Amino acid sequence: MNKDRILWLDCLRVFTCFLVVFAHCAVYIFGERELFSPGWHIYNCYTVTGQGTNFAFFMISGVFFLDPDREISIDKLYSKYIKKLAIIFLFWFPLNNIFFLWYGSKLFPPSIFVSGNIFVTAKNFFLLHPLHLWFLPTIIGFYISVPLLRCITQNEKILSYYILISILAIFVKRTNINIIVSLANYIVIPCLPYVLGYYLMKCKKISGKTEFALYTLGIIGYLSMVLQTVYFSCKEGRTNMVYFVDFKVIMAVAIFCFFKCRVAKINFSPRAQSIILFLSSHTLGIYLFQTPLRCIVHRYLLPIDSFNPLFSVPVVAIITFLISLVITVLLKKIPWFNKYFI
């Protein structure tokens, strides 16, 4: 293994990838369950696990791309990183649309595409992308912003200032004043996870009290999102998943801190390191395939609601994760396909 490799970040990448698959399995039929039934509450708790993990994954990107000591030119950003993700996105989203047209998903029904006007139908098919692929354009947007964000991370005072106003913006936007909400939603908050990832990575030592406080806040953030769903669902009489971004950030920071402070201390065997690196190198492919495969597993192999959801969701998530991994491994053996599409 490369001595410069930060193994706990690979562990975090694999962990977040699996939790995304896990949460997607839970949310798939969450809205179909009887409101406030025991199963509904289990699906609710499982679905929320994925809320902080997306932000934690963004924090990993911030560690590598916002470090001023790492030389990343604008040309390299576009020719290597942005170009590949753009190709992957443009290649996979029409294929996913074809799949969902065939499958007839309730989360992404054919009616979204089909119109009486053939030109409108074609436009919808090529411009609308499956919801689970939102991650790719989000990361592309981050890459485009990297040169600007690196100006922030190069100066400790500006970095601290940015984090402070971002945290304030999260809470102040609850005032619902349009200009504040717009500033928070479109300028300040979107880049916060990446900057926080770099900031926490550069913290040489996190005290025990700070670590405990972050874990406590992370648990509070998780429970708050669970209760939010209960509150808004009760208010509207149907399942309504509304999550405040501040709870997502708090949960992501707690997860990141746990891996930095605890998992980093684990002395993995050479074989364990190889497995972790193997899984980490295939997470993008797993992410790309997991939603269609989850649908196939649910319909043809093992319905998510076929037995107690306390156990069915983890089982279906593991099956989906492993099948996605196998397909990714096989496709990566095709050199040209691996280079451009996965």
Side-chain angles (χ1 to χ4, degrees):
M1 186 184 79
N2 187 342
K3 293 182 179 180
D4 295 329
R5 189 89 184 192
I6 306 172
L7 191 63
W8 68 265
L9 284 176
D10 288 294
C11 292
L12 178 56
R13 183 179 285 110
V14 175
F15 175 77
T16 55
C17 181
F18 177 75
L19 274 195
V20 166
V21 177
F22 179 81
H24 283 181
C25 287
V27 76
Y28 185 60
I29 59 172
F30 180 27
E32 301 174 9
R33 301 302 91 192
E34 181 185 350
L35 206 60
F36 308 134
S37 65
W40 185 90
H41 287 292
I42 293 173
Y43 285 118
N44 181 21
C45 292
Y46 281 170
T47 298
V48 172
T49 59
Q51 298 307 310
T53 53
N54 289 324
F55 277 45
F57 197 90
F58 295 153
M59 293 172 74
I60 297 174
S61 297
V63 169
F64 295 108
F65 285 89
L66 298 184
D67 187 350
D69 295 332
R70 294 174 181 265
E71 186 176 346
I72 304 178
S73 65
I74 294 178
D75 179 66
K76 185 177 181 180
L77 275 172
Y78 277 85
S79 62
K80 182 178 180 180
Y81 300 108
I82 294 176
K83 176 184 175 181
K84 179 164 185 177
L85 280 188
I87 291 174
I88 289 173
F89 178 71
L90 293 174
F91 177 77
W92 285 109
F93 93 75
L95 293 181
N96 273 267
N97 287 348
I98 292 173
F99 169 82
F100 285 114
L101 278 171
W102 165 77
Y103 186 82
S105 170
K106 292 182 180 180
L107 293 178
F108 208 66
S111 59
I112 292 179
F113 305 108
V114 180
S115 168
N117 187 315
I118 188 172
F119 296 104
V120 174
T121 299
K123 182 194 74 171
N124 291 343
F125 184 82
F126 287 103
L127 292 183
L128 293 175
H129 62 83
L131 298 179
H132 72 284
L133 293 182
W134 68 272
F135 179 83
L136 294 176
T138 301
I139 289 292
I140 290 174
F142 164 65
Y143 288 162
I144 293 172
S145 305
V146 162
L148 300 175
L149 293 176
R150 283 168 73 93
C151 295
I152 294 174
T153 57
Q154 285 173 355
N155 187 299
E156 289 189 10
K157 289 185 177 180
I158 295 177
L159 174 60
S160 300
Y161 171 74
Y162 176 83
I163 293 175
L164 177 61
I165 63 170
S166 297
I167 294 173
L168 289 175
I170 289 175
F171 293 99
V172 174
K173 80 170 202 168
R174 301 278 180 84
T175 60
N176 290 328
I177 299 174
N178 288 339
I179 188 171
I180 294 178
V181 172
S182 298
L183 177 66
N185 286 342
Y186 300 109
I187 299 178
V188 179
I189 294 175
C191 298
L192 179 60
Y194 308 101
V195 176
L196 277 176
Y198 167 76
Y199 179 79
L200 290 174
M201 186 65 186
K202 285 303 178 182
C203 290
K204 294 182 179 180
K205 186 177 181 180
I206 298 176
S207 68
K209 290 182 179 180
T210 301
E211 187 181 351
F212 177 77
L214 290 175
Y215 297 154
T216 302
L217 289 173
I219 294 172
I220 292 173
Y222 170 80
L223 294 175
S224 297
M225 286 189 284
V226 170
L227 293 175
Q228 274 181 253
T229 302
V230 174
Y231 171 77
F232 286 107
S233 298
C234 182
K235 187 177 180 180
E236 297 194 13
R238 62 180 180 83
T239 299
N240 187 0
M241 292 167 280
V242 178
Y243 306 121
F244 294 150
V245 69
D246 41 358
F247 297 136
K248 294 183 182 182
V249 172
I250 290 170
M251 188 175 167
V253 169
I255 293 171
F256 190 93
C257 179
F258 175 78
F259 277 80
K260 175 180 171 62
C261 298
R262 299 297 163 182
V263 177
K265 295 179 180 179
I266 300 175
N267 186 21
F268 292 100
S269 67
R271 179 170 177 76
Q273 292 181 25
S274 298
I275 293 173
I276 292 168
L277 294 178
F278 172 78
L279 292 174
S280 178
S281 66
H282 292 81
T283 49
L284 176 58
I286 293 170
Y287 170 79
L288 290 172
F289 299 130
Q290 52 93 16
T291 292
L293 285 174
R294 178 207 60 209
C295 295
I296 292 173
V297 170
H298 172 68
R299 177 176 290 182
Y300 299 107
L301 185 59
L302 182 64
I304 299 171
D305 55 352
S306 59
F307 54 101
N308 191 324
L310 186 65
F311 306 105
S312 67
V313 173
V315 170
V316 173
I318 292 172
I319 293 173
T320 303
F321 185 89
L322 292 177
I323 296 176
S324 300
L325 174 62
V326 170
I327 292 176
T328 303
V329 170
L330 293 176
L331 290 178
K332 284 177 79 72
K333 291 184 180 297
I334 306 173
W336 60 270
F337 199 91
N338 179 42
K339 182 178 180 180
Y340 294 107
F341 302 122
I342 199 169

